[in-house]
Amino acid sequence: MIPVGEYEAWSRRYQEAGIALEGREDLVEQVANELEQGLHLLGATAIEDRLQDGVPETIEDLKKAGIKLWVATGDKLETAIAIGRSTNLIATDSNIIIIRGTSRRPVHAQMVDTLDRFFSEHATAGGHTALKTSTEGIIPLQQINTGVSSIVGPENGERPGGFILVVDGAALLEAFGDEENKSILLRLAVLCDGVICCRVSPLQKALIVKLVKDGLGAMTLAIGDGANDVSMIQAADVGIGISGEEGMQAVNSSDYAIAQFRFLKKLLLVHGHWSYARNGMMLLNFFYKNIVSVGVLWWFQIHDAWSAYHVFDYVYILFWNSLWTVAAVVGIGLFDRFLEDSHTLMEVPELYRYGREGHWFGLRHFIIYMIDGVVQSAVIYFLILYTYMSPTAREDGYDVYLYEFSTVMAISAVLVANLFTGLNATAWTWWLFFAVFIGIIVQWVFTVIYSLVSPNYAVTKLYGNNYYLFHSAYFWLSLSLTVIIALAPRYLWKAWKFGFNPGDLEIFQLLQKNHSSISQDHKDGRRWYQDEVVRTDMVTGITSVDRGFDFATEEHGVEMQRVKSNLSERRMNKRLGFSRSPTSKGKSAFSSLSRAFLRKTASPTKPPLE
């Protein structure tokens, strides 16, 4: 303890030193040293910069999904490597390659030497030609002298776990100043399993994203939580902001906002994967259905001397994309899911490769769908045309009118287009069922009503079709044959794919369909996981969804309810004159434990997946 008189005298000297015009820093330090004598350390306080929950698991699963991870941080090199180890970006058997701008050797020489030492088969490849070269094969491992052997550990360069590139801001500054250095840096980064950039400025973060996006032509995603990440988020194709302790600047500048980093896993592996599949299938089916209608019109031109006359009534062309076929395509874009249970995508991140490899959209798939449309339009046109080219299809013996059999083509085209779109869907929910059949129903109702309109009210070309079509065997036979023949190739291909040549995706779809217990077990596991995350309070029984202490201490928060419960319990015990015995407390704990055990044993057993 410092006496009051001694402290007041010292305080006056400290204030005089603080306002001195000359030698202020030396005087302040001298006065401070007078007080800091003979002290005993009783304790210390520090601020711990911990990782959020689930960050290591999320990064590990993203690596399994085949996503290349770059970490850009302002921390020093030692801290950045420690972060890489704690987040599973650097595995225990990973080799660390360090490129430092403060080294005695130039950055260019360090990168070239690294390529020669560890990737000799790629060192001589020039330009961007070797950027997408596979890294499979035997890599000659040699030990590299990084100058930080205590950080990288012994046997660095001889471990079998691949390489992690660590670059500091000074090295990036030199590398970005030359196109050749940028090309070498990018080539070296692609050959490594991960990249950590330390001591980088906000501008350098944006330049890193631009280097990958322009150099590889790859889709880039940037995620950050602070104002220093705004330039990086805006430079990427997809920007994600985390609403954390560093303000809302990153969130306001991003495309998507999440509360914690671990939510990135579900955003990418589930919602991003579903969204890509839905949009890819929607685009393919949208182009396909237009090929069907245009194909029927085009085949008719062969028999009409290329007069540009419409084979069926123009009203069917007018409503083709607005009423008859639009709902089915939009239904796939909104409701389809190639795996209905999101838990499978979360547990098996390797399935994300279907999105990276363009499984649902590409030039090959586009050509196949266009061929489907052309073939199906030919089946619809020629089969119906030659069916009605008999002596007559009417009971009265008169010739068949053009709009009589062409209306059959229009109805058959809508049936084939919508059912083909539904055949390409995976999750047949009630909404998707409604989207596929609503256009068919609307067209049939419109055809009936339009055929009943008398020429006394409006001039129509379909008056009386309800009588001639619906009472004719040609009509029903043509519809059934065209639908079956047009859809048969796609149906047979899907049957062969699932039955004789299934991929990983088809296997999981089959397991999900045949083993409903898997889905139920996933749901039980998800509920158990959520119960752990949300932190149910054992005193009040209130479930807290808040991650921080401040929210829990609000008026209706868990902490305040706990305080109220304790006060009420003490007040009641004081009135009744007893306290809870240890025996009753043990019984209560045993009852809670038995209920938890029953809940776990009641859940279905997960069958093994092979």
Side-chain angles (χ1 to χ4, degrees):
M1 296 294 293
I2 300 177
V4 177
E6 182 180 349
Y7 174 76
E8 290 179 351
W10 177 87
S11 178
R12 286 192 297 268
R13 294 195 303 273
Y14 186 82
Q15 186 176 4
E16 293 175 355
I19 60 176
L21 298 179
E22 296 181 359
R24 182 185 305 170
E25 295 181 358
D26 296 336
L27 293 176
V28 169
E29 183 178 358
Q30 181 180 356
V31 175
N33 289 333
E34 295 178 2
L35 186 65
E36 297 172 356
Q37 300 293 332
L39 301 179
H40 297 280
L41 180 63
L42 300 179
T45 60
I47 299 176
E48 183 182 7
D49 190 9
R50 293 194 308 166
L51 292 173
Q52 293 181 352
D53 296 337
V55 173
E57 294 81 4
T58 301
I59 291 181
E60 183 177 1
D61 289 336
L62 293 180
K63 291 170 63 178
K64 291 179 180 178
I67 300 175
K68 180 64 75 69
L69 299 174
W70 292 53
V71 176
T73 177
D75 297 323
K76 61 182 181 179
L77 186 141
E78 294 81 359
T79 306
I81 294 178
I83 293 174
R85 296 186 188 277
S86 61
T87 58
N88 286 336
L89 182 61
I90 302 178
T92 55
D93 57 350
S94 296
N95 303 283
I96 302 176
I97 299 174
I98 299 179
I99 306 296
R100 309 185 72 172
T102 56
S103 176
R104 289 174 295 178
R105 293 192 304 161
V107 172
H108 178 83
Q110 296 182 51
M111 294 188 296
V112 172
D113 182 64
T114 301
L115 286 173
D116 292 335
R117 286 172 178 266
F118 298 104
F119 311 103
S120 58
E121 66 274 19
H122 302 282
T124 57
H128 296 278
T129 57
L131 292 180
K132 298 183 181 180
T133 306
S134 174
T135 59
E136 296 180 359
I138 300 176
I139 299 176
L141 299 179
Q142 300 180 24
Q143 189 166 1
I144 183 171
N145 184 16
T146 61
V148 283
S149 57
S150 60
I151 300 175
V152 300
E155 300 180 354
N156 183 57
E158 302 176 358
R159 307 186 189 106
F163 294 86
I164 301 295
L165 177 63
V166 180
V167 188
D168 63 2
L172 288 175
L173 184 63
E174 184 176 342
F176 287 146
D178 187 359
E179 291 296 329
E180 182 182 0
N181 287 341
K182 289 169 64 176
S183 176
I184 297 175
L185 174 63
L186 186 58
R187 192 189 321 159
L188 180 61
V190 170
L191 295 173
C192 294
D193 297 333
V195 181
I196 298 177
C197 303
C198 58
R199 286 298 186 190
V200 294
S201 63
L203 178 59
Q204 287 179 326
K205 293 182 179 180
L207 292 177
I208 293 170
V209 175
K210 190 174 183 298
L211 174 66
V212 177
K213 186 167 64 172
D214 297 341
L216 297 178
M219 182 71 68
T220 57
L221 181 147
I223 179 170
D225 62 349
N228 56 345
D229 300 319
V230 170
S231 57
M232 174 183 66
I233 291 174
Q234 293 179 341
D237 295 298
V238 180
I240 299 178
I242 301 177
S243 56
E245 300 293 336
E246 298 190 27
M248 299 294 291
Q249 290 89 345
V251 172
N252 295 333
S253 304
S254 63
D255 301 310
Y256 300 93
I258 57 178
Q260 293 191 21
F261 183 85
R262 62 187 176 91
F263 298 146
L264 178 65
K265 177 183 176 181
K266 190 169 186 178
L267 182 64
L268 284 178
L269 303 187
V270 179
H271 297 293
H273 210 174
W274 277 349
S275 178
Y276 171 73
R278 289 166 180 167
N279 283 278
M281 294 298 295
M282 182 184 68
L283 290 174
L284 291 175
N285 284 277
F286 190 88
F287 283 104
Y288 149 80
K289 71 182 183 66
N290 285 283
I291 290 295
V292 173
S293 63
V294 174
V296 175
L297 298 175
W298 187 83
W299 293 118
F300 177 70
Q301 298 305 308
I302 300 176
H303 294 80
D304 197 38
W306 306 97
S307 64
Y309 193 76
H310 304 299
V311 61
F312 37 72
D313 190 54
Y314 186 73
V315 70
Y316 288 108
I317 304 175
L318 184 65
F319 291 131
W320 179 266
N321 281 321
S322 57
L323 286 179
W324 313 144
T325 59
V326 65
V329 177
V330 173
I332 279 189
L334 292 178
F335 307 115
D336 191 30
R337 291 172 293 181
F338 59 90
L339 280 175
E340 296 187 35
D341 191 359
S342 62
H343 188 79
T344 304
L345 296 174
M346 295 283 284
E347 291 295 326
V348 190
E350 290 82 0
L351 291 176
Y352 190 75
R353 70 176 180 86
Y354 284 96
R356 293 188 296 104
E357 296 173 356
H359 179 74
W360 285 280
F361 190 79
L363 182 59
R364 174 175 171 270
H365 295 87
F366 181 81
I367 293 175
I368 291 175
Y369 272 75
M370 296 306 101
I371 294 175
D372 276 331
V374 172
V375 172
Q376 292 174 13
S377 66
V379 170
I380 293 170
Y381 177 78
F382 289 105
L383 194 148
I384 295 176
L385 175 67
Y386 289 113
T387 298
Y388 277 85
M389 283 181 63
S390 60
T392 180
R394 294 187 179 183
E395 297 178 356
D396 55 9
Y398 285 98
D399 290 336
V400 177
Y401 187 46
L402 171 64
Y403 290 104
E404 183 178 333
F405 71 85
S406 65
T407 302
V408 185
M409 295 181 183
I411 296 176
S412 176
V414 173
L415 275 170
V416 170
N418 283 3
L419 292 179
F420 182 84
T421 302
L423 189 63
N424 293 321
T426 305
W428 269 85
T429 61
W430 283 107
W431 282 109
L432 187 58
F433 184 87
F434 171 81
V436 169
F437 286 96
I438 185 62
I440 299 174
I441 296 173
V442 169
Q443 190 202 29
W444 279 70
V445 173
F446 172 82
T447 301
V448 172
I449 297 176
Y450 196 53
S451 300
L452 292 173
V453 177
S454 173
N456 296 329
Y457 298 98
V459 178
T460 64
K461 300 176 182 179
L462 305 183
Y463 178 67
N465 263 359
N466 60 316
Y467 175 79
Y468 293 112
L469 292 182
F470 300 145
H471 294 82
S472 173
Y474 289 86
F475 173 76
W476 301 105
L477 182 63
S478 298
L479 288 183
S480 58
L481 285 179
T482 51
V483 171
I484 293 173
I485 296 175
L487 299 181
R490 176 57 61 123
Y491 179 81
L492 292 176
W493 179 83
K494 291 177 72 71
W496 173 81
K497 180 66 176 177
F498 273 87
F500 299 97
N501 189 29
D504 296 335
L505 187 60
E506 288 77 19
I507 292 174
F508 276 100
Q509 288 175 349
L510 190 62
L511 288 173
Q512 182 177 267
K513 178 181 179 181
N514 296 337
H515 301 280
S516 58
S517 60
I518 295 179
S519 178
Q520 182 64 32
D521 188 36
H522 288 169
K523 293 179 181 179
D524 293 340
R526 184 163 60 249
R527 283 196 295 267
W528 171 80
Y529 175 76
Q530 291 174 349
D531 290 342
E532 277 197 340
V533 172
V534 297
R535 302 176 181 177
T536 301
D537 187 72
M538 300 303 295
V539 177
T540 63
I542 300 176
T543 300
S544 173
V545 296
D546 303 314
R547 304 297 301 178
F549 179 78
D550 293 337
F551 293 103
T553 55
E554 291 181 352
E555 182 178 359
H556 301 290
V558 175
E559 294 293 336
M560 294 304 298
Q561 295 295 329
R562 179 185 299 173
V563 173
K564 293 179 181 179
S565 299
N566 290 336
L567 293 177
S568 300
E569 186 177 359
R570 291 179 183 177
R571 193 178 297 110
M572 184 63 68
N573 291 340
K574 188 176 296 184
R575 290 179 181 177
L576 297 179
F578 70 92
S579 62
R580 180 184 293 179
S581 63
T583 305
S584 62
K585 183 177 181 181
K587 290 181 178 180
S588 175
F590 178 79
S591 177
S592 301
L593 181 61
S594 62
R595 285 197 299 270
F597 177 76
L598 289 175
R599 284 199 300 269
K600 294 182 67 176
T601 55
S603 61
T605 305
K606 182 189 298 183
L609 297 177
E610 297 183 358

